[in-house]
């Protein structure tokens, strides 16, 4: 091996000892091993795979984790008792009654109607039922313009106006005896109704455009019932973006139709993606090196073309006036194209590309052996998966566990949000009443002094809550629900990584492959992880969940304080976000390698993380190269799978291959099933290649352990594959016989 030759030429004893350790020569004693490698674990010359005799690790964290799960289950049961998901499914009127619920007076009135939409400021207010106007349940939305005053005049001749208008009042009216001022004061009926459409079980204005002008019910001007003439722009300002929401409903219906037409084609495409992922993993065993070198040569060629293009532009600008000016002379310009008219710009680009080209070539020259090791590991990973095919089924189990966690969290969150009794608060259109946001009783509010002190005030339903200890801590329970959810999600992923690491480690440390591979390696590794290392997996997951929880808190504070921040606080907050994002990535990387060590030696999380970190630091160059090569090949595989399926889906849904196969012909948006197939294919490929990535990580850790533990002699032979032996140039009589 190149490293061995370079280090053996040195006369320094320390370098000689380091070389011996790096190439796998075993120290004379356990103390010397620990001193040289910084590894506190006992050196076992007879190590032949994952330790069988184990003890439970991180028991305290395991107990805490179990207690949290028990508390989580209890919280779900309590929320189930107090919550009512109907409060999410059905809109609620000003009195807290559900619209459209069976067995109630509003059973046939499933749509919510707002008396005065002009008092509402935004759609978010409408959806959250906080609009300061009376809300009632109706069977259908208004279909025409009509004010209370207009209804009074034709009443004596045509009672149909009264009957039509009466259905939008709190209670049916026999004759319009009250004046407009009395109606407004008593809040029995709306002053005017407008053509509306139901959406989200609520009546929203029927906006449309006519010759580029916004209209409501084909009108641009209309009466608001209070003697004022309004236009459609004013109504849109009161309920902005409502027309877009209604358009979204139409688009949603068309999308649903496309899904109904193409669902079997989508399933077929996803099935082909799964088969293609299997095939790609099989072919990767033979084409990993080819794919890598094609990519490298392509990068070199693209950079070379960029250098030539920059030189060409630099030469063409030689005769242009003002092309000799510098960026400093030009100053700050909003038109970026002006900078590309300077020779200095193209010269700078050319120099940067030349430096990048030289770095890539030097990296290939000096790291060629490391790259060969990484490619060999990719091929070895394919062999491992071929010998342990049950690992490709494990993503399905992980998907089931994650689905259970997500569903439980969502259901618990809904029940917590809908716990309690209806709470009513005082709202006024102007918002100037001193009793604003105070709780009230809608049954007696009209007779109280508050109604007289604040003209136009309403006692409307606000939310569900209560004064009990449980209701006072609803927000805390929601935070607990989110935290345990993150903990469980990370635990499920950690369990999968540890189980897969144990299975692939059993493959690597089998001396004669596949004869020495133990039966059911994945099942054995999974049971071992659950039985002995639940605490360690929970410990690693807890660290990650705390970081993610802090990131969510930062994001929440950023949104709440977005309008009240100065530049310094924004800068600090962005720095914190960036730091914790990086910290999360580092912790995920360290956790993965710690789980491999746990699967191998059965030690606790901290000791396994330390041993994995020390091992990787001692081989940092190999780690960097292997990680980048592996990432590229796996990303390439995902792109190839989703890209191939995407091209086939595009040809099918656009009827480009109708001669070969007849696809759907009546699609509203062909990109809807196309994107579904592409994204679904990528997710499926990601599930398969996540197993492959864990396989590579495990084999790499075992590979480094093998180098440090063994020397290729008859007493301590290497367990690595022949291809790795050849690349490492380890000459041994024992390995040559193998």
């Amino acid at each position: 091996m190149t490293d061995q030759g370079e280090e053996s030429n040195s006369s320094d004893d320390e370098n000689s000892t380091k070389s011996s350790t790096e190439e796998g020569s075993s120290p004379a004693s356990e103390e010397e091993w620990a001193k040289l490698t910084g590894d506190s674990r006992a050196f076992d010359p007879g190590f032949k795979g994952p330790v069988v005799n184990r003890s439970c690790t991180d028991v305290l964290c395991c107990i805490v984790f179990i207690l949290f799960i028990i508390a989580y289950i209890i919280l779900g049961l309590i929320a189930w008792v107090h919550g009512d998901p109907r409060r999410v499914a059905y809109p609620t009127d000003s009195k807290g009654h559900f619209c459209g619920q069976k067995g109630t007076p509003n059973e046939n009135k499933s749509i919510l109607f707002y008396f005065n939409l002009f008092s509402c400021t935004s759609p978010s207010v409408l959806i959250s039922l906080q609009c300061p106007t009376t809300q009632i349940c109706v069977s259908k939305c208004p279909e025409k313009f009509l004010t209370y005053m207009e209804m009074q005049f034709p009443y004596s001749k045509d009672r149909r106006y009264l009957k039509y208008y009466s259905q939008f009042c709190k209670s049916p009216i026999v004759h319009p005896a009250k004046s407009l001022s009395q109606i407004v004061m008593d809040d029995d009926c709306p002053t005017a109704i407008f053509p509306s459409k139901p959406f989200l079980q609520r009546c929203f204005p029927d906006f449309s455009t006519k010759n580029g002008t916004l209209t409501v019910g084909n009108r641009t001007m209309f009466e608001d019932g209070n003697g004022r003439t309004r236009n459609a722009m004013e109504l849109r300002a009161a309920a902005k973006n409502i027309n877009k929401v209604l358009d979204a409903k139409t688009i949603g219906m068309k999308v649903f139709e496309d899904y109904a037409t193409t669902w079997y084609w989508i399933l077929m495409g996803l099935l082909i993606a799964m088969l293609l992922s299997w095939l790609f993993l099989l072919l990767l065993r033979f084409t990993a090196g080819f794919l890598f070198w094609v990519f490298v040569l392509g990068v070199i060629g693209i950079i070379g073309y960029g250098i030539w293009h920059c030189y060409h532009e630099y030469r063409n600008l030689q005769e242009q006036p003002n092309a000799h000016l510098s960026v400093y002379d030009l100053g700050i310009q909003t038109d970026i194209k002006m900078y590309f008219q300077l020779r200095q710009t193209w010269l700078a680009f050319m120099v940067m590309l030349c430096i990048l080209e030289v770095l890539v070539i030097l990296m290939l020259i000096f790291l060629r052996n490391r790259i060969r090791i990484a490619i060999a590991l990719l091929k070895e990973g394919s062999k491992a998966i071929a010998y342990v095919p049950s690992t490709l089924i494990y993503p399905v189990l992980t998907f089931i566990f994650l689905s259970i966690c997500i569903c439980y969290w969502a259901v618990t969150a809904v029940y917590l949000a809908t716990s309690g009794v209806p709470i009513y608060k005082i709202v006024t259109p102007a918002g100037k009443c001193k009793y604003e946001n105070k709780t009230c009783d809608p049954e007696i509010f009209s007779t109280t002094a508050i109604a007289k002190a604040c003209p136009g005030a309403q006692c409307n339903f606000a939310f569900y809550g209560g004064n009990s200890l449980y209701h006072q801590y609803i927000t805390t329970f929601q935070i607990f629900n989110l935290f345990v959810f993150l903990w469980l999600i990370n635990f499920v992923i950690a369990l999968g990584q540890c189980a897969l690491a144990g299975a692939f480690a059993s493959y690597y440390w089998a001396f004669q492959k596949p004869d020495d591979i133990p039966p059911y390696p994945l099942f054995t590794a999974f049971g071992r992880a659950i039985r002995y290392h639940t605490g360690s997996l929970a410990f690693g997951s807890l660290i990650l969940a705390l970081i993610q929880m802090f990131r969510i808190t930062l994001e929440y504070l950023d949104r709440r304080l977005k309008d009240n921040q100065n530049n310094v606080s924004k800068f600090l907050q962005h720095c914190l976000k960036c730091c914790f994002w990086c910290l999360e990535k580092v912790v995920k990387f360290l956790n993965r390698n710690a789980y491999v060590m746990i699967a191998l030696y059965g030690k606790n999380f901290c000791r396994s993380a330390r041993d994995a970190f020390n091992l990787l630091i001692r081989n940092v160059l190999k780690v960097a190269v292997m990680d980048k090569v592996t990432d590229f090949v796996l990303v390439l595989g995902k792109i190839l799978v989703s890209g191939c399926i995407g091209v086939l889906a595009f040809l099918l849904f656009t009827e480009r291959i109708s001669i070969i196969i007849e696809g759907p012909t009546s699609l509203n948006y062909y990109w809807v099933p196309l994107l579904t197939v592409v994204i679904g294919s990528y997710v499926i490929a990601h599930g398969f290649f996540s197993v492959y990535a864990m396989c590579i990580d495990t084999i790499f850790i075992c590979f480094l352990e093998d180098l440090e533990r063994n020397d290729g002699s008859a007493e301590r032979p290497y367990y690595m594959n022949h291809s790795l032996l050849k690349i490492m140039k380890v000459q041994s009589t024992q390995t040559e016989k193998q």
Side-chain angles (χ1 to χ4, degrees), residues 5 43 79 122 131 153 161 189 244 393 449 463 493 533 543 628 650 697 718:
F43 176 68
S122 67
C131 186
F153 292 117
Y161 285 92
C189 296
K244 296 181 180 179
I393 306 176
F463 55 86
I493 296 174
H533 308 303
I543 297 174
K628 295 304 177 185
F650 175 78
D697 289 345
Y718 288 118

Side-chain angles (χ1 to χ4, degrees), residues 65 72 402 405-406 409 478-494 537-538 540-553 584:
F65 182 61
Y72 196 35
L402 292 178
C405 294
I406 293 173
W409 165 77
Q478 288 283 22
I479 296 174
F480 178 80
N481 180 34
L482 177 60
F483 173 73
V484 181
F485 165 71
L486 294 175
W487 196 357
L488 286 174
I489 289 292
N490 289 301
F491 177 81
V492 169
I493 296 174
L537 300 179
S541 305
L542 175 62
I543 297 174
L544 202 54
L546 289 172
I547 296 174
Q548 293 170 345
M549 196 69 186
F550 195 85
R551 288 189 62 196
I552 293 174
T553 303
E584 182 180 354

Side-chain angles (χ1 to χ4, degrees), residues 508-525:
Y508 183 92
W509 295 104
F511 196 70
Q512 295 290 343
K513 301 177 179 61
D515 298 335
D516 292 343
I517 299 177
Y520 311 110
L522 180 60
F523 178 78
T524 303

Side-chain angles (χ1 to χ4, degrees), residues 164-182:
Y164 181 81
Y165 200 91
S166 177
Q167 61 184 329
F168 302 107
C169 297
K170 287 184 177 179
S171 57
I173 54 177
V174 179
H175 55 86
K178 292 185 178 180
S179 63
L180 177 62
S181 58
Q182 290 176 318

Side-chain angles (χ1 to χ4, degrees), residues 138-153:
V138 296
S139 58
K140 63 179 181 179
C141 295
E143 299 174 351
K144 56 185 177 181
F145 290 97
L146 190 62
T147 66
Y148 182 79
M149 297 299 295
E150 290 173 344
M151 179 269 299
Q152 283 184 314
F153 292 117

